[in-house]
Amino acid sequence: MKQTLKQIKISDIPDALQRLGISQDTTINLTIETVEEEQEYILTLLQQIGQEAQAKGLTDEILEELLADES
């Protein structure tokens, strides 16, 4: 079995493993990757802004026109 748990606090790992049905005596491989909360927040915010802009009609072509250097 392979299961990925994302953005979980260290203190919540025992409960998460139990919810997955993994007993205390099971041997597992564990990879830890810290999450930069601020970076994640910024990426999420940028994604939300992009989605809202697209919903309001922003296209790649319009964006290129807006970003064009007219100097």
Side-chain angles (χ1 to χ4, degrees), residues 6-61:
K6 293 189 175 187
Q7 295 187 5
I8 185 170
K9 293 180 181 179
I10 297 290
S11 59
D12 294 334
I13 290 174
D15 290 335
L17 293 175
Q18 186 177 21
R19 279 180 287 177
L20 291 172
I22 299 171
S23 74
Q24 291 179 339
D25 298 324
T26 303
T27 301
I28 63 169
N29 293 324
L30 178 65
T31 301
I32 297 175
E33 178 181 334
T34 59
V35 176
E36 298 293 330
E37 289 182 28
E38 186 174 327
Q39 182 180 7
E40 288 293 320
Y41 170 77
I42 291 170
L43 292 175
T44 301
L45 181 61
L46 291 174
Q47 288 173 342
Q48 290 172 349
I49 291 169
Q51 290 170 353
E52 287 181 32
Q54 286 178 340
K56 293 180 179 180
L58 182 67
T59 63
D60 290 339
E61 293 80 19

